Amino acid sequence: DAAARERGDQALEPAWPTTEVRAQLAARIAAREDPEFGGFAPAGADAATPKFPVWPVLRFLQTEPDETATQLARRTLDRMAAAPLRDADGGFFRYATRRDWSVPHYERMLTDNAGLILVALAAGRADIASAAAGFLIDTLQLPSGGFAAAQDSESWIDGESREGGFYLRPLDERGPLEPPRIDDKLVTGWNGLAIG
């Protein structure tokens, strides 16, 4: 409160995590690494365990001085980029419904892709960053210059709405199909992340 601030009450000052606390947190994250498929899953997770591209966690790991943490972030990025979680045009889907990163939920979010560009750049993976940036520019950028919030998971094929139908086609066969709808709302914070 104002009175406490006037007294100089130190309890109101933000307490940033110490190096030791950050190292403990990184170790706890590392303990949840899925040794078979990469990413993070509880011990003994079954095949139907969903996985998300948790870019804030990966960025945290990349800021740690411990090489083990930065290598974990890079391994995770590489596994996601090589999996069906990543579309042929370089954009990443919202999440995978299976532990092996397969069967994506086909929605593609501005936040996930912008965050994964930062992760890829920090990991020295310009190829992954460039492809994801290409998705943002080619698919999510609006005529106004801003970026749409997302691209829908469903598309109309042969008069039916199909989950992932558009994305399951090879890139060279998508031309005659109507792409999934773009959620053209402009979210300032999300656009700031993409611009960053």
Side-chain angles (χ1 to χ4, degrees):
D1 68 359
R5 280 194 295 275
E6 285 180 21
R7 287 191 313 266
D9 190 340
Q10 297 302 312
L12 295 177
E13 292 295 316
W16 297 106
T18 63
T19 302
E20 294 78 21
V21 168
R22 290 176 58 95
Q24 290 170 3
L25 180 55
R28 288 180 65 189
I29 294 168
R32 292 184 57 95
E33 182 181 17
D34 182 337
E36 187 174 0
F37 299 111
F40 308 101
D46 71 18
T49 300
K51 283 189 179 166
F52 290 79
V54 289
W55 69 266
V57 172
L58 300 179
R59 284 296 297 134
F60 164 74
L61 292 171
Q62 289 176 322
T63 63
E64 288 304 286
D66 182 2
E67 185 68 19
T68 303
T70 57
Q71 288 304 314
L72 170 55
R74 184 182 175 112
R75 267 194 317 276
T76 304
L77 174 67
D78 288 343
R79 295 300 288 269
M80 291 187 306
L85 182 70
R86 184 177 179 215
D87 190 33
D89 71 358
F92 286 87
F93 296 111
R94 180 69 188 101
Y95 64 93
T97 63
R98 314 257 325 148
R99 184 177 152 222
D100 65 358
W101 296 108
S102 66
V103 192
H105 171 66
Y106 290 97
E107 181 179 28
R108 299 195 289 179
M109 303 291 295
L110 173 60
T111 50
D112 294 325
N113 282 279
L116 288 170
I117 290 169
L118 295 173
V119 171
L121 289 172
R125 294 301 310 269
D127 56 331
I128 296 171
S130 179
F135 158 69
L136 293 185
I137 292 166
D138 296 341
T139 304
L140 292 187
Q141 191 165 32
L142 301 170
S144 66
F147 293 100
Q151 185 177 30
D152 203 352
S153 62
E154 296 181 2
S155 52
W156 287 91
I157 299 177
D158 300 327
E160 294 181 25
S161 178
R162 297 188 186 174
E163 172 80 23
F166 179 83
Y167 303 109
L168 292 169
R169 300 276 177 102
L171 274 179
D172 61 356
E173 293 179 16
R174 292 183 192 178
L177 299 177
E178 182 179 336
R181 186 184 72 79
I182 297 294
D183 178 353
D184 62 359
K185 96 178 128 237
L186 287 167
V187 180
T188 304
W190 297 2
N191 271 264
L193 178 63
I195 291 166

